[in-house]
Amino acid sequence: MKPVNSHMSSSFQPFKDSIIKKFKNKPVVQDIDLIRLDGECIKSLIEVKKAKELDWKPYTKIFKPHLPVGRRDDINYKALFALGKKMGVNVWVFHYVEDKLTEHGVACFKIVDIELNMTWRTYSDDGKTNRYSLEEIESVVTGTPSTGCAKRNSHTVKDFNNPNINKNQNNLFYFFQSNDTAKHFYYVECGGIWTMLISHPTSYEPIWLYIELDLALANLDLDDCDLKAEFFPQIEIHDKTGIPLSIICYDNNDLQRFTVYKYDEDEFHKQIMSRTDFIDYYGAFIALIN
């Protein structure tokens, strides 16, 4: 199980890791970074990578054969590809240079098979990666704007006010959230909310999708919120794949009580769980691979 780096500041991560480590077989656990929409339908699933180097390639066995397995992203990409295949949608890896998004733009790698062969835009003369400027990305966005996304614009997204990023304009998530065109076609999660995918470690088939929600960071009142409108892309993933969908809410300072919303028969059903009950609930999904 490769560590999930997107929310290391959350005490929930080591807590859920402590549940998983009790099982012999560990699942693939990852968050879904970005979702491209056409209307209210998912068109692509996107993994976002930020690195300091410009001439970057995905950390996979094909591109980085000498890297230790623990430093490669093969299992995560394969699990995301397996989910995309089950849904009939494309899977991409977007890369941008830390603090240089507006200067260097985005490299876009399309995963074409479970072996992680990829295609990307290159310069014809030397084969080097040809990046898309933000203006180009905006210009190639086509389809039907998502009314759901238009209602979800938030003041915080992943990496918002990251000290390693000089200004939020150099944050790819912020671009997709704030650009007048792109914001109608990309689902970008608010701060404190992560869509987590649990997958089988050898078949890479999806097992469970849950939305992790830090109540303080998310600043979202779920009792006064249309959950089906707020989380419509996750519901489409559930509808297309049949995998269970949950929302897990917690207080980051006190992991003793959890509010869990289980999606069933076209509705979210709320349940309050003690720490013990929640451990059993979470562990039941991990037990499916053991």
Side-chain angles (χ1 to χ4, degrees), residues 239-259:
D239 288 344
K240 283 193 170 183
T241 63
I243 63 173
L245 170 63
S246 311
I247 304 173
I248 296 171
C249 309
Y250 59 86
D251 180 341
N252 194 31
N253 297 314
D254 181 21
L255 298 177
Q256 299 298 321
R257 182 174 178 269
F258 297 84
T259 304

Side-chain angles (χ1 to χ4, degrees), residues 188-206:
V188 184
E189 288 180 321
C190 307
I193 300 175
W194 304 271
T195 297
M196 305 299 300
L197 174 64
I198 305 294
S199 306
H200 195 280
T202 54
S203 71
Y204 305 109
E205 287 297 301

Side-chain angles (χ1 to χ4, degrees), residues 33-34 47-54 56 93-109 131-132 134 137 157-160 162 164-165 167-176:
D33 286 331
L34 200 59
E47 173 78 4
V48 175
K49 292 296 184 182
K50 171 169 59 68
K52 292 183 179 180
E53 64 265 33
L54 178 63
W56 180 93
V93 180
F94 284 5
H95 165 262
Y96 71 106
V97 179
E98 183 177 288
D99 210 23
K100 302 287 185 179
L101 173 64
T102 55
E103 179 180 346
H104 294 307
V106 184
C108 304
F109 300 83
R131 311 176 73 83
Y132 291 83
L134 297 184
I137 288 178
V157 293
K158 290 181 181 180
D159 276 344
F160 191 78
N162 185 320
N164 295 318
I165 299 176
K167 55 184 180 180
N168 286 317
Q169 284 70 21
N170 277 318
N171 177 355
L172 187 61
F173 295 107
Y174 181 80
F175 166 77
F176 282 116

Side-chain angles (χ1 to χ4, degrees), residues 267-281:
E267 294 293 340
F268 281 105
H269 303 276
K270 181 179 179 180
Q271 184 176 349
I272 306 298
M273 295 185 185
S274 67
R275 183 183 179 94
T276 300
D277 289 341
F278 179 79
I279 289 172
D280 291 341
Y281 175 74

Side-chain angles (χ1 to χ4, degrees), residues 5-193:
N5 298 321
S6 63
H7 53 294
M8 285 297 289
S9 60
S10 166
S11 59
F12 183 81
Q13 180 170 338
F15 171 62
K16 62 90 176 167
D17 287 346
S18 71
I19 300 173
I20 293 173
K21 75 178 183 181
K22 296 177 182 177
F23 292 87
K24 179 180 178 181
N25 297 312
K26 311 296 190 292
V28 183
V29 183
Q30 64 184 308
D31 58 337
I32 298 178
D33 286 331
L34 200 59
I35 298 176
R36 167 73 157 93
L37 295 152
D38 187 349
E40 310 314 302
C41 297
I42 294 175
K43 185 175 182 179
S44 301
L45 302 173
I46 301 162
E47 173 78 4
V48 175
K49 292 296 184 182
K50 171 169 59 68
K52 292 183 179 180
E53 64 265 33
L54 178 63
D55 190 19
W56 180 93
K57 293 290 192 304
Y59 280 27
T60 64
K61 185 177 181 180
I62 290 176
F63 293 119
K64 308 282 185 179
H66 302 299
L67 272 183
V69 173
R71 289 194 58 202
R72 297 200 302 251
D73 294 316
D74 294 67
I75 60 172
N76 297 79
Y77 292 153
K78 287 182 177 184
L80 193 61
F81 181 81
L83 176 64
K85 184 176 181 180
K86 202 173 185 71
M87 296 175 62
V89 304
N90 294 322
V91 177
W92 293 81
V93 180
F94 284 5
H95 165 262
Y96 71 106
V97 179
E98 183 177 288
D99 210 23
K100 302 287 185 179
L101 173 64
T102 55
E103 179 180 346
H104 294 307
V106 184
C108 304
F109 300 83
K110 183 180 180 181
I111 303 177
V112 298
D113 58 36
I114 196 65
E115 300 304 320
L116 302 184
N117 290 296
M118 301 187 191
T119 60
W120 63 96
R121 186 187 192 191
T122 63
Y123 292 108
S124 58
D125 57 344
D126 58 13
K128 289 186 177 180
T129 303
N130 188 354
R131 311 176 73 83
Y132 291 83
S133 70
L134 297 184
E135 292 75 19
E136 285 181 295
I137 288 178
E138 181 180 6
S139 70
V140 299
V141 173
T142 59
T144 303
S146 166
T147 57
C149 281
K151 298 175 182 177
R152 295 193 66 261
N153 292 326
S154 169
H155 65 287
T156 60
V157 293
K158 290 181 181 180
D159 276 344
F160 191 78
N161 288 334
N162 185 320
N164 295 318
I165 299 176
N166 186 41
K167 55 184 180 180
N168 286 317
Q169 284 70 21
N170 277 318
N171 177 355
L172 187 61
F173 295 107
Y174 181 80
F175 166 77
F176 282 116
Q177 182 79 327
S178 61
N179 180 268
D180 287 340
T181 299
K183 68 182 182 182
H184 299 293
F185 294 89
Y186 286 85
Y187 172 86
V188 184
E189 288 180 321
C190 307
I193 300 175

